[in-house]
Amino acid sequence: GRTHSSLERILALTNELLEFEKLASGKQTLSFNAVESSELVNGCVQDCLSSARSKCISVQVEIGACGFEGDFDKLRRVVHNLLFNAIKY
C-alpha cells in the first residue's frame, strides 16, 4: 500500500543520489552521442502505453524533430521515469 509506495520512492531517490555521486566522482561517465528527440520520446511513450491503458489513460505526443548531443541511455531513463510516474500518480 502506501508504505510500500513510499519505500519505493525513497529507494529510487537513494539510487539516483548514488548514481549522481558516481558521475560527480568520475566513477561513471556520460556517453555523448547524437540524439533525436522524437525517437527518444516516442520510444518511451510506446514502452509505457500498456501501463497507461490499464489505468484508462490516453497518451498523445506531438514532438518535432530536434537533434542534440546527449547520453541516450540516461535520457531515456529520465523520460521513462517521468512518464511512468505521471501514469502512476
Side-chain angles (χ1 to χ4, degrees):
R2 186 175 175 157
T3 303
H4 186 265
S5 178
S6 295
L7 289 173
E8 283 180 338
R9 283 194 300 257
I10 291 170
L11 180 60
L13 181 58
T14 302
N15 287 334
E16 289 172 18
L17 288 171
L18 289 172
E19 186 166 325
F20 179 76
E21 175 57 30
K22 288 178 189 175
L23 286 170
S25 68
K27 293 178 183 175
Q28 187 177 45
T29 59
L30 296 174
S31 176
F32 286 89
N33 294 300
V35 176
E36 177 56 54
S37 60
S38 59
E39 176 187 340
L40 173 69
V41 173
N42 287 328
C44 291
V45 167
Q46 289 299 315
D47 292 344
C48 78
L49 281 179
S50 65
S51 293
R53 286 186 188 126
S54 72
K55 293 191 172 199
C56 298
I57 297 173
S58 171
V59 179
Q60 296 177 337
V61 177
E62 291 183 32
I63 185 167
C66 176
F68 60 92
E69 293 284 317
D71 187 316
F72 185 86
D73 292 331
K74 299 277 189 292
L75 290 166
R76 184 174 181 270
R77 204 160 114 201
V78 168
V79 174
H80 264 172
N81 285 342
L82 290 171
L83 288 170
F84 279 104
N85 284 339
I87 292 165
K88 187 173 183 179
Y89 302 108

PDB file of all heavy atoms in Angstrom, residues 62-75:
ATOM      1  N   GLU A  62       3.020  15.036 -29.468  1.00  0.00           N
ATOM      2  CA  GLU A  62       3.302  15.862 -30.638  1.00  0.00           C
ATOM      3  C   GLU A  62       4.680  16.461 -30.405  1.00  0.00           C
ATOM      4  O   GLU A  62       4.839  17.362 -29.593  1.00  0.00           O
ATOM      5  CB  GLU A  62       2.266  16.966 -30.796  1.00  0.00           C
ATOM      6  CG  GLU A  62       0.893  16.449 -31.179  1.00  0.00           C
ATOM      7  CD  GLU A  62      -0.107  17.566 -31.399  1.00  0.00           C
ATOM      8  OE1 GLU A  62       0.317  18.657 -31.847  1.00  0.00           O
ATOM      9  OE2 GLU A  62      -1.279  17.342 -31.113  1.00  0.00           O
ATOM     10  N   ILE A  63       5.656  15.928 -31.093  1.00  0.00           N
ATOM     11  CA  ILE A  63       7.015  16.403 -30.913  1.00  0.00           C
ATOM     12  C   ILE A  63       7.692  16.494 -32.274  1.00  0.00           C
ATOM     13  O   ILE A  63       7.590  15.583 -33.089  1.00  0.00           O
ATOM     14  CB  ILE A  63       7.817  15.497 -29.951  1.00  0.00           C
ATOM     15  CG1 ILE A  63       9.195  16.074 -29.686  1.00  0.00           C
ATOM     16  CG2 ILE A  63       7.887  14.080 -30.454  1.00  0.00           C
ATOM     17  CD1 ILE A  63       9.921  15.419 -28.526  1.00  0.00           C
ATOM     18  N   GLY A  64       8.322  17.592 -32.494  1.00  0.00           N
ATOM     19  CA  GLY A  64       9.043  17.780 -33.744  1.00  0.00           C
ATOM     20  C   GLY A  64      10.437  17.196 -33.642  1.00  0.00           C
ATOM     21  O   GLY A  64      10.937  16.899 -32.558  1.00  0.00           O
ATOM     22  N   ALA A  65      11.050  17.038 -34.785  1.00  0.00           N
ATOM     23  CA  ALA A  65      12.414  16.515 -34.817  1.00  0.00           C
ATOM     24  C   ALA A  65      13.379  17.580 -34.306  1.00  0.00           C
ATOM     25  O   ALA A  65      13.335  18.729 -34.724  1.00  0.00           O
ATOM     26  CB  ALA A  65      12.780  16.096 -36.224  1.00  0.00           C
ATOM     27  N   CYS A  66      14.207  17.180 -33.384  1.00  0.00           N
ATOM     28  CA  CYS A  66      15.220  18.079 -32.833  1.00  0.00           C
ATOM     29  C   CYS A  66      16.413  17.222 -32.444  1.00  0.00           C
ATOM     30  O   CYS A  66      16.296  16.338 -31.593  1.00  0.00           O
ATOM     31  CB  CYS A  66      14.665  18.815 -31.622  1.00  0.00           C
ATOM     32  SG  CYS A  66      15.888  19.859 -30.801  1.00  0.00           S
ATOM     33  N   GLY A  67      17.525  17.463 -33.072  1.00  0.00           N
ATOM     34  CA  GLY A  67      18.723  16.700 -32.752  1.00  0.00           C
ATOM     35  C   GLY A  67      19.597  17.446 -31.761  1.00  0.00           C
ATOM     36  O   GLY A  67      19.663  18.676 -31.765  1.00  0.00           O
ATOM     37  N   PHE A  68      20.242  16.703 -30.897  1.00  0.00           N
ATOM     38  CA  PHE A  68      21.168  17.288 -29.920  1.00  0.00           C
ATOM     39  C   PHE A  68      22.142  16.222 -29.463  1.00  0.00           C
ATOM     40  O   PHE A  68      21.995  15.049 -29.785  1.00  0.00           O
ATOM     41  CB  PHE A  68      20.408  17.901 -28.736  1.00  0.00           C
ATOM     42  CG  PHE A  68      19.560  16.920 -27.976  1.00  0.00           C
ATOM     43  CD1 PHE A  68      20.062  16.248 -26.869  1.00  0.00           C
ATOM     44  CD2 PHE A  68      18.248  16.665 -28.365  1.00  0.00           C
ATOM     45  CE1 PHE A  68      19.284  15.347 -26.178  1.00  0.00           C
ATOM     46  CE2 PHE A  68      17.453  15.763 -27.672  1.00  0.00           C
ATOM     47  CZ  PHE A  68      17.974  15.102 -26.576  1.00  0.00           C
ATOM     48  N   GLU A  69      23.137  16.609 -28.708  1.00  0.00           N
ATOM     49  CA  GLU A  69      24.122  15.680 -28.163  1.00  0.00           C
ATOM     50  C   GLU A  69      23.743  15.346 -26.722  1.00  0.00           C
ATOM     51  O   GLU A  69      23.421  16.236 -25.941  1.00  0.00           O
ATOM     52  CB  GLU A  69      25.516  16.311 -28.174  1.00  0.00           C
ATOM     53  CG  GLU A  69      26.083  16.561 -29.556  1.00  0.00           C
ATOM     54  CD  GLU A  69      26.571  15.293 -30.227  1.00  0.00           C
ATOM     55  OE1 GLU A  69      27.222  14.479 -29.559  1.00  0.00           O
ATOM     56  OE2 GLU A  69      26.299  15.136 -31.427  1.00  0.00           O
ATOM     57  N   GLY A  70      23.757  14.060 -26.384  1.00  0.00           N
ATOM     58  CA  GLY A  70      23.445  13.661 -25.028  1.00  0.00           C
ATOM     59  C   GLY A  70      23.675  12.175 -24.834  1.00  0.00           C
ATOM     60  O   GLY A  70      24.001  11.455 -25.770  1.00  0.00           O
ATOM     61  N   ASP A  71      23.527  11.725 -23.619  1.00  0.00           N
ATOM     62  CA  ASP A  71      23.656  10.313 -23.280  1.00  0.00           C
ATOM     63  C   ASP A  71      22.268   9.684 -23.427  1.00  0.00           C
ATOM     64  O   ASP A  71      21.398   9.845 -22.565  1.00  0.00           O
ATOM     65  CB  ASP A  71      24.173  10.159 -21.849  1.00  0.00           C
ATOM     66  CG  ASP A  71      24.500   8.719 -21.494  1.00  0.00           C
ATOM     67  OD1 ASP A  71      23.701   7.822 -21.828  1.00  0.00           O
ATOM     68  OD2 ASP A  71      25.551   8.497 -20.885  1.00  0.00           O
ATOM     69  N   PHE A  72      22.054   8.986 -24.539  1.00  0.00           N
ATOM     70  CA  PHE A  72      20.736   8.456 -24.874  1.00  0.00           C
ATOM     71  C   PHE A  72      20.180   7.575 -23.761  1.00  0.00           C
ATOM     72  O   PHE A  72      19.013   7.701 -23.383  1.00  0.00           O
ATOM     73  CB  PHE A  72      20.796   7.671 -26.189  1.00  0.00           C
ATOM     74  CG  PHE A  72      19.450   7.204 -26.670  1.00  0.00           C
ATOM     75  CD1 PHE A  72      18.651   8.035 -27.433  1.00  0.00           C
ATOM     76  CD2 PHE A  72      18.975   5.947 -26.349  1.00  0.00           C
ATOM     77  CE1 PHE A  72      17.398   7.628 -27.869  1.00  0.00           C
ATOM     78  CE2 PHE A  72      17.725   5.520 -26.776  1.00  0.00           C
ATOM     79  CZ  PHE A  72      16.936   6.368 -27.541  1.00  0.00           C
ATOM     80  N   ASP A  73      20.991   6.679 -23.226  1.00  0.00           N
ATOM     81  CA  ASP A  73      20.504   5.754 -22.196  1.00  0.00           C
ATOM     82  C   ASP A  73      20.059   6.486 -20.932  1.00  0.00           C
ATOM     83  O   ASP A  73      19.028   6.163 -20.345  1.00  0.00           O
ATOM     84  CB  ASP A  73      21.562   4.713 -21.851  1.00  0.00           C
ATOM     85  CG  ASP A  73      21.826   3.758 -23.003  1.00  0.00           C
ATOM     86  OD1 ASP A  73      20.901   3.526 -23.806  1.00  0.00           O
ATOM     87  OD2 ASP A  73      22.960   3.254 -23.105  1.00  0.00           O
ATOM     88  N   LYS A  74      20.830   7.460 -20.505  1.00  0.00           N
ATOM     89  CA  LYS A  74      20.461   8.218 -19.299  1.00  0.00           C
ATOM     90  C   LYS A  74      19.212   9.060 -19.562  1.00  0.00           C
ATOM     91  O   LYS A  74      18.310   9.131 -18.721  1.00  0.00           O
ATOM     92  CB  LYS A  74      21.607   9.132 -18.863  1.00  0.00           C
ATOM     93  CG  LYS A  74      22.889   8.413 -18.494  1.00  0.00           C
ATOM     94  CD  LYS A  74      22.847   7.919 -17.087  1.00  0.00           C
ATOM     95  CE  LYS A  74      24.171   7.393 -16.599  1.00  0.00           C
ATOM     96  NZ  LYS A  74      24.642   6.189 -17.216  1.00  0.00           N
ATOM     97  N   LEU A  75      19.143   9.695 -20.726  1.00  0.00           N
ATOM     98  CA  LEU A  75      17.975  10.493 -21.078  1.00  0.00           C
ATOM     99  C   LEU A  75      16.727   9.622 -21.179  1.00  0.00           C
ATOM    100  O   LEU A  75      15.646  10.005 -20.729  1.00  0.00           O
ATOM    101  CB  LEU A  75      18.208  11.236 -22.393  1.00  0.00           C
ATOM    102  CG  LEU A  75      19.227  12.357 -22.327  1.00  0.00           C
ATOM    103  CD1 LEU A  75      19.625  12.788 -23.728  1.00  0.00           C
ATOM    104  CD2 LEU A  75      18.673  13.533 -21.526  1.00  0.00           C
TER     105      LEU A  75
END
